[in-house]
Amino acid sequence: MTTAHPLRTIEAHEFDAFARMITTAYGQDGREGALGNARSSIEPGRTLAAYDGRDIVGGAGIYGRTMTVPGALVPVAGITLVAVLPTHRRRGILTAMMRGQLTELHETGGEPIAALNAAEATIYGRFGYGIASHLAALHIDKPTVALRPDVDLGAGTVRLLTADQARPFLEKVHDTARRQTVGWVDRTEKYWNARLHDAEHVRDGATALRVVLHTDPGGAATGYALYRSKGATAHIVEVVVVDRWAYASLWHYFLNLDGHDHLTYEGAPDEVLPHLLADPRAARTTLVDNLWVRLVDVERALAARRYTVALDVVLEVEDAFCPWNAGRYRLYADGFTVTCERTRSRPDLRLTTTELASAYLGGPTLSALAAAGRIEELRPGAVAAASRAFRGEREPFHLSGAAFPAF
């Protein structure tokens, strides 16, 4: 279906109208400052809007970021602030915006991959996005939980600081950690401003943001945590560390936090915490989808990352939404170099870009997708070989970076 509503990028002076559309579509109040984070970080030239006359009735933006993928740092188009007014749904506006974004990225040689956090799990699969990582929603009842007695906390120090005091340390720790963690993205000044934005309306009735910093015996910052309190619950926003002693010490802090009976945290799907607990079941875990990835250009995307073992496979790729991706590719990796080129050779696997996107960060395996009937093996053993090569050392995990829906 095509849309009768023209699309174009917004002008800077149209931000307020764009913001009103977003907050209305998300069922939020359009109060002053509700999209303050987006105002300072939005890229008008990469923000599409759909118009009905002069009125903005839909929109979708891109934040240019750098993502850690297996063995590399790759430019990624962070898709954000996607919405259509309730009065204009089922008219093809969302489809037109998604196609417009991907087509422009392809035609301009922009980022080879796109990624987003999905508000609903049924929306983005039809545009070629695949679930590439999960997160573990942890709930801990403190009266019944304790660290194992043999957990090594090291000789470092944990202290509370204001956000302004801590920020230089936070930035350094985060930049070190994100380069080592598949699924994390860079966080430049404007995104740090968004992360630490602490207006009352973003707290949802909780306290101001608390900052806990861990330093090693030499005084170097090696970890931090951000959290808020609401009633008897501490809502941990993020935990970022560069060594195991900082990780154990920060969780020791939370497990001994007076006046709090419960802790909540959204962490990695293979979060280390349960392995530190005397009773691993004390950290109740719900696994949910986290980051959705889309391969904009198959050749550039697959050649950009590295692979766990040597691989030589021919992929027959289907892509109904982005037809430029359809065709056969030989993906070759020998541990030092990676190439992905079009070929006429007989294919070993047949799949869509959605399956490649799901496996791109090394999380969901190609073997699991094949078991679900989503990949056709044309050469015996090809699925197992490709699955091993795509797999990462740890589960990928995306650390969200702003208070309002944003990549």
Side-chain angles (χ1 to χ4, degrees):
M1 178 186 295
T2 59
T3 176
H5 302 285
L7 303 178
R8 65 169 173 82
T9 56
I10 68 170
E11 303 291 338
H13 71 271
E14 294 180 299
F15 176 80
D16 287 339
F18 182 84
R20 284 194 296 272
M21 181 277 298
I22 292 288
T23 52
T24 299
Y26 276 93
Q28 299 182 359
D29 289 331
R31 54 182 157 240
E32 183 68 25
L35 273 173
N37 294 347
R39 180 185 291 278
S40 62
S41 58
I42 197 172
E43 301 176 32
R46 305 193 79 184
T47 303
L48 278 178
Y51 291 81
D52 187 345
R54 296 183 178 180
D55 297 330
I56 295 178
V57 296
I62 290 177
Y63 290 159
R65 310 291 290 271
T66 299
M67 177 182 284
T68 302
V69 305
L73 302 176
V74 175
V76 58
I79 309 303
T80 187
L81 301 174
V82 180
V84 177
L85 286 178
T87 53
H88 287 71
R89 289 176 184 159
R90 307 295 185 269
R91 301 189 188 185
I93 294 175
L94 178 60
T95 298
M97 292 191 300
M98 293 290 100
R99 179 169 282 114
Q101 284 184 325
L102 295 169
T103 299
E104 182 167 356
L105 287 171
H106 168 66
E107 292 180 347
T108 61
E111 293 90 343
I113 59 173
L116 54 80
N117 298 120
E120 297 180 29
T122 58
I123 296 176
Y124 294 99
R126 65 182 186 269
F127 307 130
Y129 286 85
I131 300 174
S133 72
H134 293 79
L135 63 79
L138 302 179
H139 186 97
I140 301 167
D141 295 319
K142 278 183 53 194
T144 62
V145 67
L147 294 178
R148 291 194 339 263
D150 61 339
V151 170
D152 183 4
L153 300 179
T157 302
V158 172
R159 55 192 173 128
L160 281 165
L161 297 176
T162 66
D164 288 341
Q165 290 172 326
R167 180 160 173 170
F169 304 106
L170 307 188
E171 292 181 4
K172 185 175 181 179
V173 170
H174 181 276
D175 192 58
T176 300
R178 65 99 178 176
R179 294 172 184 271
Q180 304 168 356
T181 311
V182 172
W184 284 23
V185 295
D186 64 326
R187 191 180 280 175
T188 56
E189 181 180 5
K190 63 183 179 180
Y191 298 114
W192 271 108
N193 292 339
R195 172 72 286 171
L196 299 177
H197 182 61
D198 201 31
E200 189 171 348
H201 69 266
V202 305
R203 301 177 187 171
D204 192 27
T207 65
L209 199 64
R210 316 290 193 199
V211 182
V212 191
L213 183 71
H214 180 273
T215 53
D216 67 16
T222 53
Y224 71 85
L226 308 177
Y227 74 101
R228 303 180 191 277
S229 298
K230 187 175 183 180
T233 300
H235 298 285
I236 303 168
V237 176
E238 63 184 43
V239 177
V240 178
V241 301
V242 297
D243 66 37
R244 64 185 180 90
W245 299 282
Y247 184 88
S249 296
L250 289 169
W251 278 108
H252 179 264
Y253 170 87
F254 285 119
L255 296 177
N256 290 276
L257 193 59
D258 290 339
H260 296 75
D261 296 329
H262 310 283
L263 305 173
T264 65
Y265 176 59
E266 293 184 343
D270 57 353
E271 192 67 39
V272 173
L273 178 62
H275 301 293
L276 301 181
L277 300 179
D279 177 8
R281 294 183 181 180
R284 290 180 280 123
T285 302
T286 302
L287 205 63
V288 297
D289 60 279
N290 178 217
L291 195 67
W292 293 63
V293 167
R294 213 296 175 196
L295 303 192
V296 179
D297 283 298
V298 168
E299 289 173 87
R300 290 193 296 136
L302 294 185
R305 58 155 290 177
R306 296 299 174 260
Y307 298 86
T308 306
V309 297
L311 178 66
D312 191 354
V313 65
V314 175
L315 308 171
E316 184 168 312
V317 178
E318 300 173 357
D319 193 335
F321 198 71
C322 296
W324 58 81
N325 279 324
R328 293 180 185 178
Y329 300 85
R330 182 189 178 197
L331 176 60
Y332 175 82
D334 62 8
F336 299 97
T337 61
V338 177
T339 59
C340 182
E341 300 173 338
R342 288 188 179 269
T343 182
R344 294 183 179 180
S345 299
R346 178 178 297 179
D348 301 315
L349 299 175
R350 182 178 291 120
L351 72 174
T352 76
T353 46
T354 303
E355 285 72 56
L356 285 173
S358 288
Y360 188 74
L361 297 181
T365 66
L366 292 173
S367 292
L369 294 169
R374 294 176 56 179
I375 297 174
E376 183 180 357
E377 184 176 61
L378 304 174
R379 174 175 60 83
V383 166
S387 191
R388 284 193 299 271
F390 272 78
R391 188 68 167 148
E393 292 183 7
R394 288 197 57 182
E395 292 288 334
F397 167 59
H398 176 66
L399 188 68
S400 297
F404 193 80
F407 181 79

